Amino acid sequence: MTLTVRAGMLEHDRMNHVFDVLRAITVLCEPEELVELVVNKAQSLLEAAAAVVILRTDQGYRVESASGFDPGAVVGLESDSFRTVQEQLEAMARGGGGWEGFLGVPMVAAGMVIGALCVFGSPRGRFSDEDTQLLSLLADQVSVVLDNARLHQALRRHHQDLYQSHHHVDSRLKTVLEHMADGLLLFGPDGPLLQSNRAARTMLELGQDGTLGVEISVAGPGGWVDCWSLEMLYRLMVAAGPGAMVHLKVDSIGRWYDAVCTPSTTPEGLREYVVLLRDVTHYRRVEDLKASFLSMAAHEIRTPVTAIHGYLSLLLSGRLGDSAPLPGAVTRALQAMQSNVERLLLLISDLLDVTRMDGPGISFNSTAVDVRSLIDEVLEEVSVLAENRHITVKRDVPELGHAFWDQQRVAQVMLNLLSNALKFTPEGGEVEVSAQAGPAALVIRVADSGPGIHPSQHRLVFEPFWRGDHARQTPGSGLGLAICKRIVDAHLGRIWVESQVGAGATFIVELPRRLEQAAVVQQRS
């Protein structure tokens, strides 16, 4: 317990010694020194023959510090009984010519008795109440010292455990990063390479000084850009924006990598950039084989299908030499055959478009295009389909001036988007086409009142052959939007969809007014 000592109850000299103890507590750091100081002060202030601090342990009680005794014979003395330790110390005090008398007060910390501060032998034969108060005050200070030491020791152990844990985790993390299959590059704020793992060093053949050992081409918005240094790679990755996928081509060994740049901020507020490289050579080769197969198959199939379509047209027109009219059932059968052959030719045409745009050498011819007239022409082309299904087509297209695009290809984008909108809008529904001009780009929107598209599928709708749940119930090849995406990309623009299930879909095309070159050649291999 803590006892309050009033200044009037203690002699002035004793108070000065107590203040010495209090000052020492604020200066000394080691608990052993403080305990030793308190023990010495207790013996001196109470004019005792000896003084000790006895601590409570798991096994019993042990003498921690002593004054007036032979330290080698007393310090470390322990027993499972406090009374036994006290009797042994009293015997030593008497044997050493000490006076009679014993006084001990408990030391309390956190509500528990942690030991006792004891003095032996008073010149008066006994200890007074004032001695008890003074010893209690000193015992309180020892309790504070020992409790603080315990807390500091526990905190130190906690810090050591945390450090070892963090060091263990950090070591494991470094091992994982070093041996992961994907390449990792860590760039500093101004482009210096701070760290790289084994996969990245192998992929880019990095030298000890961070120099590139391979020739790299980076797919930028205007085509492929040769990259001859890590600093240039850093600039291109940062310019692409956080999370943007960048394609890398290593010419010398014919490998392909996808790269993603992610910014991070250090505790000091510095901006760093993590670049992850993934080897996609195998997938690229599979894609090339698939594209080659589709192109070959489309070319081979188109010739006989075109011949079949021609013969069907001759049969229906009666130009095969027999002027007798065909029976009605035969005519209807031939017309159904011709309709399906035309659908097959359209699919083949879409396949050829996709494979040509994914391959090298496809050109887009830039000419001056009256944007409003182009949209009006496409609307006129689909007007019959809209009327047959009683769909209202709203138009909000102001005068937009001219843009330098490939007119045929952009018209193909608009036709595909409007055909899709009409296809998925129920009879009696509504489709709206709107456009607006920005300082450097035009934005065209095609909105329908169909079933809508779940947000998780927004990116997938532009993949070849992908068809959502509602799309599977309507005829189509799943290539129209994929072709739109490739044409818009070739014009250095963007296309995306905004939609929720049950709320229709709005496809948005953003195209710059002018291509940077008269012909943009897409080389994706």
Side-chain angles (χ1 to χ4, degrees), residues 27-76:
V27 175
L28 296 177
C29 298
E30 296 299 327
E32 293 82 4
E33 296 179 24
L34 289 167
V35 171
E36 183 179 351
L37 173 65
V38 171
V39 169
N40 289 334
K41 290 293 183 181
Q43 181 190 5
S44 174
L45 291 174
L46 273 68
E47 301 177 350
V52 296
V53 166
I54 303 174
L55 290 184
R56 189 174 184 176
T57 68
D58 294 338
Q59 290 75 33
Y61 296 88
R62 183 186 74 251
V63 177
E64 186 69 17
S65 181
S67 176
F69 288 112
D70 178 8
V74 174
V75 175

Side-chain angles (χ1 to χ4, degrees), residues 155-223:
L155 185 60
R156 189 182 300 112
R157 282 198 304 267
H158 180 64
H159 285 167
Q160 289 174 346
D161 291 343
L162 281 178
Y163 173 78
Q164 291 175 355
S165 175
H166 288 168
H167 179 72
H168 179 65
V169 171
D170 187 55
S171 176
R172 291 192 64 182
L173 180 59
K174 287 181 178 179
T175 301
V176 169
L177 293 178
E178 180 66 16
H179 293 87
M180 64 189 287
D182 290 345
L184 181 142
L185 301 169
L186 177 62
F187 290 100
D190 296 319
L193 180 64
L194 303 179
Q195 189 175 348
S196 63
N197 69 349
R198 183 169 61 183
R201 295 191 292 272
T202 301
M203 290 175 176
L204 304 180
E205 297 183 12
L206 295 181
Q208 293 292 333
D209 55 352
T211 56
L212 287 175
V214 292
E215 298 177 2
I216 296 178
S217 296
V218 180

Side-chain angles (χ1 to χ4, degrees), residues 282-302:
H282 172 72
Y283 304 103
R284 181 72 189 197
R285 289 171 180 167
V286 170
E287 287 293 322
D288 289 345
L289 287 173
K290 183 177 73 173
S292 297
F293 170 77
L294 288 176
S295 179
M296 179 189 66
H299 278 288
E300 293 297 324
I301 293 171
R302 184 170 62 172

